[in-house]
Amino acid sequence: MGKLLDSIDSPKDLKVLSLEELNRLADEIRQLLISFCRRHGGHLGSNLATIEPIIALHYVFDMPHDHLIFDVSHQAYTHKILTGRRRFYTDPESQKDLSGFTSPKESPYDDFMLGHTGTSIGLACGMAAQRDATGGKANIIALIGDGSLSSGPAFEGLDWAAEQGGNLIIVVNDNEMSIAENHGGLYKSLAALRASGGCSSDNPFRALGLDYRYVEEGNRIEDLIEAFRQVKDTDHPVVVHIHTRKGLGLGQGSQGQIGSTSMAQSDGQTAHMTSLPDLPAEGPVEANHWQDGLDSLNRLPNSRKTYGRMAMQALEARFSQEPGLTVISPATPLSNGIDPDFRQRAGNHYRDVGIAESHAIAYAAGIAKAGGTPVVATSATFFQRAYDQIEQEMALNGSAVTLLVFSTGVAKTDATHSGTADMVMMRGIPGLTCLAPTSGAEFLDMLAWATGPARQPVVIRVPGERTLATERAGKPIAPVKSDSTTAGQPWDRYRILQQGRTVALLALGDALPLGRDLADSLKASLGLKPTLVDPHRYDRLDEQTLDALASTHSLVVTIEDGQLDGGWGQAVAAYYGPSRVRTLAFGAAKEFKDRVPQAALLERYGMTVPAMTRAISDALADQASWI
């Protein structure tokens, strides 16, 4: 029997299939996605949960005349397969062109490029409002996961949807999981709805004035088709609450029957996102539990988990003596080394507030005001969702909150998850001390100071892959010897790692290994021994050291693993201004980049050792010509 999937080039091809064929198609897609994520990584668990719902949506509605708006779009793989992008998942040569999220550049079936949560309902409200203003008839559908409902924008969208009225269909995909467990009072209401078959009086959607439908077997295609047919062309906003299973199909091979209650549910948290190249043929992706300390660096997979785990171990050792020491994670703990074992041991010292970054900062500021010691840990791309709270509740109020910023710098990411803008954002806020450690030891020293005597707002950029590679190779940058028990500013002054002449290299944070390689290149190619400087921090300048460098060097070079425009390097250049000291600043361009390999980005930005060596050589030659 041939594969049905080979005959699906657009949603219209679904409409001629029988129910039996639709179920067979779902099984084929499930096996394809498991195989695809086994080889390439991706958001596996959420996509396995939504295969049947997306098939049913495309079967009942008429996209792209009707509009399907994904929240986050973690769960859009089946949608892509059904809308003409099947070859991206089957042809290895085409997979490099595939975005991990929805993208209008890829297809007219995608209305938005999305990678952050909670916005689908607001977007759908806007599209519905414009449709009504112009006399359109399209169905507008928002597909949002239960975990995303904890996001502030989702609440705002639900509230406005009821006020706006008109055709608007909100499909709530309830798999009883966020990226980790769900947290918040809302989820007691969802549990009551599931337990009662949708009949509970504890219904937050009806309380907001929205119509409501419940589908218990959210992975049963016939039930979904019936529910979606009931709400198609509705004249008022309605929530269709579907109960699905995250990671459905893992552990069953190809024998599980689609929609069967006997199909095992995988560990939804660890199956959410996998980057492992060798996913086991059977069973869920297992959580990785790593050995303790720096001696295990060679066995640790990436900088986020390595340094995150180290930070949690350091904080955990203090829990028994410091009742107010609290780690806060807005829903993404495991990827940052905050593993389930730690969370269980931490008890009330750990709080997952759900996908609610703004609340996480305000909550932390409240803890600090009451005398506690909060640490908020998440990725650079998610901290930007809390800009106002960082600026107001944290910085303006001088709240003693420590932010651990993960996943920073120039890397191959989707456009929605870039980590190059965090330094520009943070250093532009008054009152924040922004630190950039260059080793695991220095990171822990900074963390001890920030959560100890500092009693002020502190941002620590968690070391990245360059630093980890240096430590794995046994060539770490020795940490500065600071007294982290004092309330002063131990990292006010830049540190001279190598005293040289003519050229000074100021390499910030995770760019320091690159600066060290550049220093070696200048010596080998130009016979020049440059001065190498570790600046430690990026919210302010060490003017005393900069003045000293100006008296003995003709060229000052800054290197930062972040956006150049508005960044720290430009501040150094502005400080020197029109003086006799020339400056060169290396960093990332201000641009959206989507899945561009890191090596290609570094070439584009002139941040390779050969390119920087040439630029410095040219600058020195240009200076000589003016003498």
Side-chain angles (χ1 to χ4, degrees):
M1 184 182 297
K3 285 190 175 182
L4 273 170
L5 188 55
D6 293 339
S7 65
I8 305 299
D9 295 313
S10 75
K12 65 179 173 49
D13 295 324
L14 292 177
K15 300 180 186 296
V16 300
L17 299 182
S18 66
L19 181 59
E20 179 184 358
E21 288 172 321
L22 291 174
N23 279 314
R24 203 174 106 211
L25 176 66
D27 189 45
E28 291 179 11
I29 293 174
R30 181 162 278 106
Q31 300 313 311
L32 174 61
L33 291 183
I34 292 173
S35 175
F36 176 82
C37 289
R38 179 181 293 140
R39 295 189 307 270
H40 302 284
H43 292 94
L44 180 58
S46 52
N47 279 283
L48 293 179
T50 54
I51 293 170
E52 292 81 17
I54 291 172
I55 288 175
L57 284 165
H58 278 291
Y59 185 83
V60 171
F61 294 96
D62 300 306
M63 268 72 80
H65 169 71
D66 295 326
H67 295 271
L68 175 57
I69 303 168
F70 287 84
D71 204 274
V72 188
S73 67
H74 281 171
Q75 70 284 58
Y77 294 0
T78 298
H79 165 77
K80 292 192 173 195
I81 289 169
L82 298 177
T83 54
R85 287 167 278 183
R86 167 170 41 89
R87 67 181 176 85
F88 289 136
Y89 294 87
T90 58
D91 177 13
E93 293 300 316
S94 301
Q95 284 156 3
K96 63 180 182 298
D97 301 319
L98 179 68
S99 172
F101 301 87
T102 52
S103 172
K105 295 178 181 178
E106 284 185 1
S107 172
Y109 290 90
D110 297 356
D111 286 301
F112 299 96
M113 178 173 281
L114 300 168
H116 288 179
T117 194
T119 60
S120 61
I121 301 172
L123 293 168
C125 285
M127 294 193 73
Q130 178 62 14
R131 174 207 59 204
D132 294 343
T134 56
K137 300 297 182 184
N139 289 277
I140 307 295
I141 306 137
L143 176 59
I144 185 169
D146 55 321
S148 295
L149 291 176
S150 64
S151 174
F155 279 104
E156 295 169 17
L158 285 167
D159 185 54
W160 180 248
E163 168 75 14
Q164 177 172 294
N167 174 284
L168 184 64
I169 300 163
I170 302 165
V171 180
V172 174
N173 168 37
D174 181 359
N175 57 40
E176 303 181 54
M177 286 287 294
S178 179
I179 296 170
E181 306 87 355
N182 280 320
H183 292 279
L186 170 69
Y187 298 103
K188 296 178 182 177
S189 299
L190 292 186
L193 287 169
R194 293 192 302 269
S196 65
C199 297
S200 172
S201 60
D202 183 7
N203 188 321
F205 307 109
R206 289 196 184 279
L208 286 169
L210 297 163
D211 196 1
Y212 178 82
R213 303 282 190 281
Y214 179 71
V215 180
E216 170 59 30
E217 290 290 340
N219 293 104
R220 185 177 171 87
I221 289 179
E222 51 264 51
D223 293 356
L224 292 162
I225 289 174
E226 176 61 24
F228 294 149
R229 280 175 171 166
Q230 289 177 9
V231 300
K232 185 178 181 180
D233 300 323
T234 180
D235 62 356
H236 61 278
V238 57
V239 171
V240 182
H241 178 191
I242 63 175
H243 184 204
T244 65
R245 280 168 287 171
K246 191 168 187 176
L248 181 61
L250 285 173
Q252 291 297 115
S254 60
Q255 303 303 313
Q257 297 299 310
I258 303 306
S260 168
T261 56
S262 66
M263 183 173 286
Q265 180 178 5
S266 75
D267 178 343
Q269 178 183 343
T270 51
H272 170 77
M273 174 72 181
T274 178
S275 58
L276 301 175
D278 297 312
L279 183 68
E282 295 188 13
V285 182
E286 297 295 335
N288 292 306
H289 301 284
W290 306 105
Q291 299 295 318
D292 297 339
L294 277 172
D295 60 348
S296 65
L297 284 173
N298 285 317
R299 295 189 294 275
L300 293 168
N302 60 43
S303 59
R304 294 171 67 181
K305 288 188 176 181
T306 300
Y307 296 114
R309 173 87 176 186
M310 289 169 58
M312 295 309 109
Q313 289 173 339
L315 294 172
E316 184 178 356
R318 298 162 51 187
F319 286 165
S320 62
Q321 301 300 317
E322 300 181 49
L325 182 57
T326 306
V327 176
I328 302 167
S329 176
T332 59
L334 189 59
S335 60
N336 297 324
I338 307 174
D339 63 39
D341 288 348
F342 166 82
R343 278 131 58 185
Q344 184 175 15
R345 293 192 306 269
N348 289 334
H349 290 277
Y350 173 75
R351 287 286 183 265
D352 185 332
V353 298
I355 305 177
E357 295 86 357
S358 297
H359 167 63
I361 302 300
Y363 178 50
I367 291 174
K369 180 67 175 179
T373 307
V375 177
V376 183
T378 195
S379 300
T381 187
F382 299 137
F383 269 122
Q384 66 198 39
R385 291 165 58 88
Y387 181 89
D388 189 61
Q389 286 69 34
I390 296 171
E391 195 266 356
Q392 292 280 314
E393 281 73 18
M394 184 176 162
L396 178 63
N397 283 277
S399 302
V401 177
T402 300
L403 306 184
L404 301 185
V405 187
F406 289 83
S407 197
T408 62
V410 178
K412 180 182 179 180
T413 63
D414 289 273
T416 56
H417 280 60
S418 173
T420 57
D422 61 297
M423 288 196 291
V424 172
M425 180 181 85
M426 297 296 188
R427 70 177 307 275
I429 298 175
L432 293 185
T433 296
C434 300
L435 302 177
T438 57
S439 69
E442 186 170 64
F443 171 51
L444 294 182
D445 200 18
M446 289 176 172
L447 177 62
W449 174 76
T451 58
R455 297 309 301 172
Q456 60 184 280
V458 179
V459 177
I460 305 177
R461 210 172 191 242
V462 178
E465 295 303 322
R466 285 195 193 90
T467 299
L468 180 59
T470 298
E471 299 207 271
R472 280 176 168 166
K475 302 176 182 178
I477 305 293
V480 65
K481 297 298 183 181
S482 66
D483 182 2
S484 59
T485 64
T486 64
Q489 294 278 7
W491 293 276
D492 264 2
R493 299 296 307 277
Y494 297 167
R495 178 170 55 143
I496 307 298
L497 296 174
Q498 171 182 292
Q499 187 65 57
R501 59 183 177 83
T502 310
V503 177
L505 306 178
L506 281 61
L508 180 68
D510 207 46
L512 187 54
L514 187 58
R516 191 159 64 174
D517 291 343
L518 178 58
D520 292 341
S521 174
L522 292 175
K523 185 175 182 179
S525 61
L526 303 181
L528 172 68
K529 181 182 178 182
T531 295
L532 181 62
V533 181
D534 175 7
H536 296 303
R537 59 185 296 183
Y538 53 93
D539 59 292
R540 60 174 294 282
L541 302 179
D542 175 3
E543 297 180 359
Q544 186 174 342
T545 296
L546 292 179
D547 289 343
L549 292 173
S551 65
T552 54
H553 297 73
S554 61
L555 180 64
V556 172
V557 178
T558 63
I559 313 171
E560 59 198 299
D561 192 24
Q563 182 177 301
L564 187 61
D565 194 354
W568 165 81
Q570 286 192 346
V572 172
Y575 177 77
Y576 283 126
S579 71
R580 67 181 182 85
V581 177
R582 181 170 178 177
T583 58
L584 286 177
F586 294 99
K590 184 175 71 175
E591 62 173 351
F592 292 116
K593 51 264 183 195
D594 193 29
R595 296 164 291 119
V596 181
Q598 184 190 52
L601 289 173
L602 294 176
E603 287 281 355
R604 179 188 300 179
Y605 303 148
M607 291 182 68
T608 65
V609 170
M612 291 189 291
T613 300
R614 288 193 299 271
I616 291 169
S617 177
D618 291 345
L620 292 175
D622 185 56
Q623 282 183 326
S625 69
W626 285 90
I627 296 176

